[in-house]
Amino acid sequence: MADFQKQTVQWFPGHMAKTRRIIRDSLKLVDGVVEIVDARIPYSSSNPELGRMIKDKPRIILLNKCDLADPSATKMWIDYYRSHNKFALAVDCRSGKGLNLFSKTVSSALSEVIKRNEQKGMQGKALRLMVVGIPNTGKSSFINRMAKNSKAKVADKAGVTRQQQWFAVGNGIELLDTPGVLWPKFDDTMVGDKLAFTGAVKDTVTDMQSLSCRLLEILSETHPQAILQRYKLDSIDGLQGWEIFELIGRKRGFLIKGGEIDYERTAVMLCDEFRGGRLGKITLELPRI
């Protein structure tokens, strides 16, 4: 079982070049950008190239799945973004939590654009925003929630591929959807793991057992009480991830013939429970101040 610890998440960036080109070409059509990140891993789930690509375009960051993240950590992230002149909101796109502030945030972030439009006699002109985000951060949930389940599509606009869609979401705001793609940060070996922990990397391309052990290794250092309370363990002091994994498998009674642990079932359960917030509200990374 200890060998599982040595395996690493393999990157499958897919159509990165195509997506990069689509984003670059679409920027000339929009007034600003909405980036959706996972509130549990804001750094790892962000596009590392976005700042360079959008240049001086206004940027709004939505920390999605905030109900699964540590509220104090989310506040730290919002303060961090604001200190870097970025607009940020804590939201949950499935329930709609926090999205009532979206229109107001857009007005603040795009105040200069609104002012320029008014000076040109185009008061009330629609504000166009491009929505970006890696897979499983909630981009589709956000657009569907804002566009009332995608019923308000805007007609095709010149210069945009047919795969892209415009959505009118009220209050003079239009959203442009873009493909979701992973943007690996090769300078940080933990990024792949964090994306896999939260489900951004498909489980079919990862070793779930190895992944679960690495997750337990991290949580045993940062949130040991979450493990003890959820799995009713007496102590995990000094134990490695795979040892905690086996303790949990036995505690849950996930056994097969001969009393061996059902490793696959245990791994799937651990990942599902973390992703579903059953271990508590956990944030895996804090701002790099």
Side-chain angles (χ1 to χ4, degrees):
M1 185 65 192
D3 290 341
F4 290 140
Q5 295 281 87
K6 300 175 183 178
Q7 301 185 32
T8 57
V9 172
Q10 298 298 311
W11 284 107
F12 290 81
H15 305 291
M16 279 181 58
K18 179 181 178 182
T19 301
R20 186 185 293 111
R21 184 173 63 253
I22 289 173
I23 291 176
R24 186 183 64 246
D25 293 345
S26 299
L27 277 169
K28 66 188 75 171
L29 305 175
V30 300
D31 303 303
V33 175
V34 178
E35 182 180 22
I36 301 180
V37 301
D38 189 318
R40 297 166 294 179
I41 52 168
Y43 169 75
S44 295
S45 60
S46 69
N47 180 339
E49 299 186 10
L50 191 59
R52 178 182 57 79
M53 293 172 71
I54 68 175
K55 297 179 181 176
D56 58 348
K57 294 272 186 183
R59 181 177 178 182
I60 298 170
I61 299 169
L62 300 184
L63 291 119
N64 190 30
K65 304 182 183 180
C66 67
D67 282 357
L68 299 176
D70 180 344
S72 61
T74 300
K75 185 180 184 303
M76 289 177 63
W77 276 104
I78 290 176
D79 291 343
Y80 170 79
Y81 288 130
R82 287 175 179 169
S83 70
H84 287 75
N85 299 315
K86 297 173 185 174
F87 292 81
L89 279 177
V91 302
D92 182 77
C93 293
R94 287 192 179 276
S95 68
K97 178 180 178 179
L99 291 178
N100 60 311
L101 298 174
F102 179 70
S103 294
K104 181 179 178 181
T105 303
V106 170
S107 296
S108 297
L110 273 63
S111 59
E112 289 300 316
V113 174
I114 295 171
K115 186 177 179 180
R116 286 198 301 270
N117 288 342
E118 290 174 346
Q119 290 173 344
K120 294 178 181 178
M122 296 185 291
Q123 187 170 359
K125 180 183 178 184
L127 298 173
R128 297 175 180 174
L129 296 156
M130 179 169 59
V131 184
V132 300
I134 67 170
N136 206 38
T137 51
K139 185 162 61 71
S140 295
S141 295
F142 166 67
I143 292 175
N144 289 341
R145 168 70 63 169
M146 297 301 298
K148 294 181 174 53
N149 298 318
S150 306
K151 293 179 181 177
K153 293 182 181 179
V154 179
D156 290 340
K157 296 183 184 294
V160 183
T161 63
R162 286 193 175 273
Q163 288 85 354
Q164 292 174 279
Q165 297 283 348
W166 285 92
F167 299 86
V169 300
N171 295 316
I173 297 172
E174 295 179 2
L175 301 178
L176 174 62
D177 193 10
T178 58
V181 68
L182 289 172
W183 303 82
K185 304 178 179 72
F186 294 107
D187 59 334
D188 189 334
T189 58
M190 280 300 299
V191 167
D193 279 350
K194 290 173 183 175
L195 289 170
F197 294 156
T198 56
V201 176
K202 292 182 179 179
D203 291 338
T204 53
V205 300
T206 62
D207 183 327
M208 293 290 284
Q209 296 167 39
S210 175
L211 187 69
S212 297
C213 288
R214 292 199 296 278
L215 174 60
L216 288 170
E217 194 84 38
I218 291 172
L219 295 181
S220 68
E221 296 179 2
T222 61
H223 298 80
Q225 283 301 121
I227 298 174
L228 294 174
Q229 291 175 8
R230 179 63 188 173
Y231 302 110
K232 297 178 172 59
L233 302 177
D234 295 326
S235 175
I236 55 173
D237 290 346
L239 298 184
Q240 296 183 50
W242 67 269
E243 293 174 305
I244 302 172
F245 180 98
E246 293 191 340
L247 271 181
I248 292 172
R250 292 194 181 282
K251 191 75 173 181
R252 282 288 175 97
F254 290 172
L255 305 175
I256 54 179
K257 284 185 178 181
E260 290 293 319
I261 295 169
D262 188 333
Y263 291 120
E264 182 177 353
R265 186 181 176 193
T266 303
V268 170
M269 177 274 295
L270 282 165
C271 287
D272 284 349
E273 294 208 339
F274 171 75
R275 293 168 186 169
R278 292 187 178 90
L279 276 77
K281 298 179 183 294
I282 296 174
T283 298
L284 295 177
E285 54 193 19
L286 298 176
R288 301 177 177 182
I289 300 174

